[in-house]
Amino acid sequence: ASATIDSIAGSAPIRKPQYEQRQLNTPSEDLQQLIKSLGLLKHQEGGYFNETDRSSLFMESPYYPGHNDGSKTKPLRLGGSEEPDLPNPEDNTKKIAPLRNTSTLIHYLLTCDAFMGRFHRNNSRIIHILQKGRGQYVLVYPDGTVKSFIVGFDVARGEVTQWVVPGGVYKASFLLPLDGEESEKDHLLISEVVVPGFEYDDHRFMESYDELHALVGDRADSLKWLLEAK
Ligand code: GUN
């Protein structure tokens, strides 16, 4: 299966997991130890995370002038020309593009007490690599297309172990039970690589039910639980 989820056929049904209703709010001892060992902290998008690498090389932001519209696909060049790498020496109006680290790497973990990551998007495509466990992703494209797929090691059943979320596409994620029924042992541990490296200026949370509704119309009602961090 391709890492680029654009080619994924169909969509997995989207059902909110029942960790709250079942009052599963403490991850197993093993998972608590994992959170400690990896130095993970609660993330404001939901789940736990830790940045494990940030390149010390720098590059110009390809999204200069830096608004948060992820639809931009062509890097802007200094001097406003689309010709590569030849800033016009006559153009004294040009500004310096902000710098970014060339890459960052994180661990991201979902557990029963933090079982979902709420809708957000990044200007850059993000490479995801499954480390442990099982979960589900929901993507909302700028044209309102909704895609959902299961991340897990049962590749014969179409679960994926690598997935790339395109820049400008909203994503949310949630934990899936390993054994049919929710338990405090459920987990989803992944690695994420982003190029250029992560900065909040390149990142945006989905703001409101209205924004979701403007994108997906009537489907907003069944997806609105993915607007709120857990
Ligand atoms: N800081 C806050 N959120 C993030 C994130 O998603 N990735 C990285 N690298 N740093 C962050």
Side-chain angles (χ1 to χ4, degrees), residues 19-20 34 38 62 64 74 80 85 88 97 115 121 141 149 158 182 192 217:
Y19 295 102
E20 287 170 320
L34 180 67
L38 295 178
Y64 178 74
K74 254 189 203 166
D85 297 334
N88 176 0
F115 62 86
R121 72 183 187 202
Y141 286 69
F149 54 95
E182 285 88 348
E192 293 189 29

Side-chain angles (χ1 to χ4, degrees), residues 110-177:
L110 297 178
T111 49
C112 65
D113 60 318
F115 62 86
M116 57 164 284
R118 69 176 166 122
F119 276 126
H120 64 285
R121 72 183 187 202
N122 197 288
N123 285 335
S124 302
R125 68 207 295 271
I126 299 187
I127 298 169
H128 301 71
I129 303 154
L130 181 62
Q131 304 291 347
K132 260 166 91 68
R134 190 161 176 266
Q136 188 165 338
Y137 274 68
V138 180
L139 306 188
V140 176
Y141 286 69
D143 71 354
T145 301
V146 178
K147 238 180 227 199
S148 188
F149 54 95
I150 294 177
V151 306
F153 291 105
D154 197 346
V155 294
R157 283 209 207 159
E159 298 181 357
V160 302
T161 58
Q162 303 181 327
W163 57 105
V164 179
V165 175
V169 170
Y170 279 113
K171 78 171 175 194
S173 57
F174 59 92
L175 188 58
L176 285 180

Side-chain angles (χ1 to χ4, degrees), residues 47-200:
Y48 291 86
F49 100 115
N50 186 26
E51 188 177 286
T52 50
D53 182 67
R54 179 170 284 264
S55 168
S56 55
L57 289 177
F58 288 88
M59 60 188 286
E60 286 176 5
S61 168
Y63 310 110
Y64 178 74
H67 61 81
N68 255 345
D69 177 0
S71 66
K72 204 175 280 306
T73 52
K74 254 189 203 166
L76 292 182
R77 298 290 173 175
L78 290 180
S81 160
E82 289 191 353
E83 294 305 312
D85 297 334
L86 288 174
N88 176 0
E90 246 104 275
D91 179 6
N92 54 16
T93 65
K94 73 173 188 261
K95 297 185 190 127
I96 307 296
L99 291 180
R100 296 283 184 267
N101 302 90
T102 54
S103 69
T104 50
L105 172 64
I106 63 168
H107 273 131
Y108 186 72
L109 175 71
L110 297 178
T111 49
C112 65
D113 60 318
F115 62 86
M116 57 164 284
R118 69 176 166 122
F119 276 126
H120 64 285
R121 72 183 187 202
N122 197 288
N123 285 335
S124 302
R125 68 207 295 271
I126 299 187
I127 298 169
H128 301 71
I129 303 154
L130 181 62
Q131 304 291 347
K132 260 166 91 68
R134 190 161 176 266
Q136 188 165 338
Y137 274 68
V138 180
L139 306 188
V140 176
Y141 286 69
D143 71 354
T145 301
V146 178
K147 238 180 227 199
S148 188
F149 54 95
I150 294 177
V151 306
F153 291 105
D154 197 346
V155 294
R157 283 209 207 159
E159 298 181 357
V160 302
T161 58
Q162 303 181 327
W163 57 105
V164 179
V165 175
V169 170
Y170 279 113
K171 78 171 175 194
S173 57
F174 59 92
L175 188 58
L176 285 180
L178 290 168
D179 284 319
E181 187 160 289
E182 285 88 348
S183 105
E184 67 286 332
K185 290 183 176 163
D186 294 342
H187 58 277
L188 172 66
L189 177 67
I190 68 169
S191 293
E192 293 189 29
V193 180
V194 59
V195 175
F198 181 90
E199 291 295 336
Y200 272 109

